[in-house]
Amino acid sequence: MIRELHEKLKSGTLTAVSLAESYLSRIDERDGEIGAFLSILGEDARKSARFVDEKIARGEEIGLLEGVPGAVKDNMCKVGTRTTAGSKILDGYVSPYDATVIERLSGAGAVILGKTNMDEFAMGSSTESSAYRQTKNPVDPERVPGGSSGGSAAAVADGMAVFALGSDTGGSIRQPASFCGIVGLKPTYGRVSRYGLIAMASSLDQIGPFTQTVEDAAIVFSEIYGYDPMDVTTAESDGKRFEDFLSGDICGLRIGVPKEYLSGGLDDRVRKTFDASVERFRSLGAEIREISLPHAKYALPVYYIIMPSEVSSNLARFDGVRYGMSVDDKTERFSESDTLLETYLDTRGYGFGDEVKRRVMLGTYALSAGYYDAYYKKAQDVRKLIRKDFADAFREVDLVFSPTAPEPAFRFGAKQDDPVGMYLSDIYTVTANLAGIPAISFPMGTVEEEGKRLPVGGQLMGKWFDEETMLRAADAFEKAGADERK
Ligand code: GLN
């Protein structure tokens, strides 16, 4: 899709301004119903589009992403705009600087249409924990779009943006991509700078794109990755353009299917779609091998110790003094004698939602003296074993393939009072974050539910810093599907 738009912009059959306008009117028409956006940056978008048109008019070369309209999750700072991270506590906060990914996108000439809805501080799997609005799944508006980057996924799935950025700490790009029937890429930890991303769990967070096609994901990813002095965990850029690796040829590629992933809570229909997808990879010439990830069963418990521990530390900065709202602006409950501690307590009590409080409490407990060794340290030790499982597996196979989520999109409210049920949504995705490896979700088929066809995603996980093999395989899969439908 991006390549076609690029050709049209270059040849003058389309202007960047008219392209931006058509997306802004789509948002105008549809977002009342879908609820994907928290803010719309119409004027900024028009300005960047005009800039691209002027460049074309001067006969200058334009890059693949120039003039292409996209959206970003509302936990990424864009100078002069509101950034809420889906939380009341950041109501009124205006970013004083650009996140590195925003800088990169602007540098690449992309047109940023707006900021998208999300679960509060990216905690959740349905976008229902947003303090601001509900986001509907465009495939079936009675269902959630997944989360936590539900707004970004819904915007792309509904044609309100060509691409959108999300963040993925335990599955927040891949699971909503699966629920909405689009592509979502979580790069290797350290590929994309987290500078200007509101931190959830810093050892797990990564930014990546949502798109309609694998090639588009490769194009957006190529623009945003690379070394950044503002994020010490970023790796040197190796100059790759990932869209150059999509040859369609996966003959001889070794794809491992972890036996531990295919038992327990996996929906039968998802399992069937998955089995058919394994056959598609086989028919494309890949060699399928059963593999074992012996510590996979500990991934979710380990994630739900490490993530809240980091959350409790990262979220300590929201105290009603430094960022966003302070409770006395809202309620005027304070008298002169109120102490600083009371301001903290009142602001955090009012500003944070239930899920955030639950995790801050869990994390504070896991890190407290006397429990640290039993929980946090133990979880870190098991995390090493999970990572080693992948290192061992990647001696035998090039990629690991699994479903992205155990079931298709669920209905609103279905898991809101059942936090553990909600956490189980991440059972196949958290491992990639714990191990730091790249992973992608792409449409693998649909399953029928109540007369509707709901999309389900397949997940490929790759070796550290080997996004290209993963993208090549997902692209070959997608092309083969398009051929089958012809
Ligand atoms: N759903 C997971 C959680 O609630 C993942 C969130 C994320 O990746 N940001 O923690």
Side-chain angles (χ1 to χ4, degrees), residues 426-458:
D426 309 320
I427 188 122
Y428 304 133
T429 47
V430 295
T431 35
N433 302 75
L434 290 167
I437 55 175
I440 189 170
S441 177
F442 52 94
M444 118 178 130
T446 56
V447 299
E448 170 147 8
E449 191 156 306
E450 294 161 3
K452 290 231 162 81
R453 304 235 42 122
L454 302 176
V456 290

Side-chain angles (χ1 to χ4, degrees), residues 114-169:
K115 312 277 298 283
T116 55
N117 196 20
M118 56 184 283
D119 278 304
E120 185 175 7
F121 285 107
M123 297 175 201
S125 303
S126 65
T127 312
E128 291 167 292
S129 82
S130 166
Y132 296 96
R133 68 191 303 196
Q134 190 178 61
T135 300
K136 293 182 177 152
N137 189 323
V139 180
D140 176 356
E142 286 175 6
R143 290 172 193 272
V144 302
S148 64
S149 318
S152 288
V156 171
D158 200 62
M160 294 188 279
V162 177
F163 72 90
L165 295 188
S167 62
D168 190 311
T169 303

Side-chain angles (χ1 to χ4, degrees), residues 26-200:
R26 173 84 186 167
I27 294 172
D28 206 30
E29 221 172 87
R30 292 284 298 160
D31 204 43
E33 147 115 26
I34 301 291
F37 285 86
L38 287 179
S39 50
I40 295 159
L41 307 171
E43 274 327 296
D44 278 6
R46 290 185 182 95
K47 206 166 123 198
S48 353
R50 270 198 300 277
F51 190 75
V52 176
D53 283 335
E54 283 160 17
K55 218 171 146 181
I56 298 171
R58 288 194 300 268
E60 287 174 37
E61 284 287 311
I62 56 162
L64 272 174
L65 213 54
E66 290 205 59
V68 176
V72 295
K73 187 174 179 176
D74 205 28
N75 56 356
M76 297 172 207
C77 293
K78 183 169 178 344
V79 66
T81 69
R82 293 181 48 196
T83 299
T84 67
S87 182
K88 252 195 319 217
I89 210 165
L90 281 177
D91 200 4
Y93 170 70
V94 173
S95 317
Y97 67 100
D98 271 341
T100 299
V101 285
I102 300 283
E103 228 174 69
R104 298 254 163 121
L105 285 182
S106 312
V111 170
I112 299 171
L113 300 165
K115 312 277 298 283
T116 55
N117 196 20
M118 56 184 283
D119 278 304
E120 185 175 7
F121 285 107
M123 297 175 201
S125 303
S126 65
T127 312
E128 291 167 292
S129 82
S130 166
Y132 296 96
R133 68 191 303 196
Q134 190 178 61
T135 300
K136 293 182 177 152
N137 189 323
V139 180
D140 176 356
E142 286 175 6
R143 290 172 193 272
V144 302
S148 64
S149 318
S152 288
V156 171
D158 200 62
M160 294 188 279
V162 177
F163 72 90
L165 295 188
S167 62
D168 190 311
T169 303
S172 280
I173 294 176
R174 291 161 287 156
Q175 185 257 21
S178 173
F179 280 17
C180 293
I182 58 173
V183 175
L185 168 67
K186 182 205 91 73
T188 307
Y189 184 77
R191 264 295 194 201
V192 178
S193 170
R194 293 172 293 111
Y195 179 67
L197 168 73
I198 294 179
M200 177 182 166

Side-chain angles (χ1 to χ4, degrees), residues 412-472:
F412 286 99
K415 296 181 199 284
Q416 239 172 341
D417 300 324
D418 172 18
V420 175
M422 191 75 96
Y423 298 170
L424 282 167
S425 241
D426 309 320
I427 188 122
Y428 304 133
T429 47
V430 295
T431 35
N433 302 75
L434 290 167
I437 55 175
I440 189 170
S441 177
F442 52 94
M444 118 178 130
T446 56
V447 299
E448 170 147 8
E449 191 156 306
E450 294 161 3
K452 290 231 162 81
R453 304 235 42 122
L454 302 176
V456 290
Q459 170 179 242
L460 281 169
M461 295 178 268
K463 291 176 194 159
W464 293 269
F465 295 99
D466 182 16
E467 282 87 359
E468 57 269 33
T469 305
M470 203 175 76
L471 288 162
R472 171 158 61 95

